[in-house]
Amino acid sequence: MSRFAKIAAKLPEYGLDAMMITSAPNRLYATGFKSSAGVAVVTADASYFFVDSRYIEAAGNKIQGAEIREMNKNNPYEQLVSEVIAKHGVKKMGYEESYITVASFNNWQAKLSCELVPATQLVMDLRSIKDEEEIAHMTAAQRIAEKALQEVLGDHVHQA
């Protein structure tokens, strides 16, 4: 199951129609794509990733299971998210209250036609359970650290 699908499956538990993901760590978790900007929106039926021109081509090549759209001055994030709200009839959308500033929240709230519901925990709960790929990366990192420590300590390890 994709991470988008895992997020979508959790929406009813939180009483949400959609989840808006704006923070870098949770965007990376949801999309598998590292960027300094972007907004992911997950509904029960579809997932979206909005990003600026710096990342649009790479995002299109890397991200699967989401519609990728370019954000620009004619199509700002608020407009793109509003289109998703209208298309899917979103009434309640989760947002990451642990990551968003008050100014950003006020901007989103003023421009979106749905109720914004604090829901950072939805993604955090999913991130706390590691999948096979994450475990493989953690294991590989541990092996690299072990090898580096052995090289630094050399024969001193066996003398202790």
Side-chain angles (χ1 to χ4, degrees):
M1 178 183 289
S2 78
R3 291 179 179 166
F4 289 124
K6 288 178 182 180
I7 293 166
K10 281 269 196 195
L11 293 174
E13 182 181 326
Y14 284 78
L16 300 173
D17 302 310
M19 180 71 195
M20 179 173 63
I21 302 167
T22 56
S23 71
N26 288 339
R27 277 195 322 267
L28 175 59
Y29 172 80
T31 65
F33 180 72
K34 187 174 182 177
S35 63
S36 64
V39 174
V41 178
V42 180
T43 71
D45 304 320
S47 299
Y48 302 85
F49 185 65
F50 309 127
V51 71
D52 64 49
S53 62
R54 296 173 296 164
Y55 296 109
I56 193 71
E57 184 177 349
N61 292 332
K62 173 75 175 169
I63 299 171
Q64 296 180 359
E67 180 180 327
I68 313 299
R69 302 230 357 239
E70 183 177 336
M71 180 284 300
N72 55 46
K73 67 180 181 176
N74 296 324
N75 291 303
Y77 289 125
E78 298 86 356
Q79 180 178 324
L80 295 168
V81 174
S82 290
E83 290 173 12
V84 172
I85 290 168
K87 181 177 181 178
H88 294 277
V90 173
K91 302 289 185 232
K92 290 186 176 186
M93 180 158 46
Y95 75 97
E96 300 168 288
E97 79 281 3
S98 297
Y99 291 96
I100 195 168
T101 65
V102 172
S104 291
F105 172 79
N106 289 338
N107 179 59
W108 286 112
Q109 189 173 43
K111 294 186 178 174
L112 301 181
S113 63
C114 67
E115 179 183 351
L116 294 177
V117 179
T120 300
Q121 202 58 45
L122 184 153
V123 180
M124 298 306 286
D125 287 348
L126 291 170
R127 284 181 54 196
S128 70
I129 301 168
K130 304 304 179 200
D131 60 29
E132 290 180 23
E133 182 181 357
E134 289 172 302
I135 292 170
H137 287 300
M138 292 167 62
T139 301
Q142 179 63 32
R143 298 296 172 257
I144 291 167
E146 289 169 353
K147 183 177 178 185
L149 182 62
Q150 286 177 346
E151 288 180 14
V152 168
L153 295 177
D155 291 331
H156 300 322
V157 173
H158 300 296
Q159 294 176 0

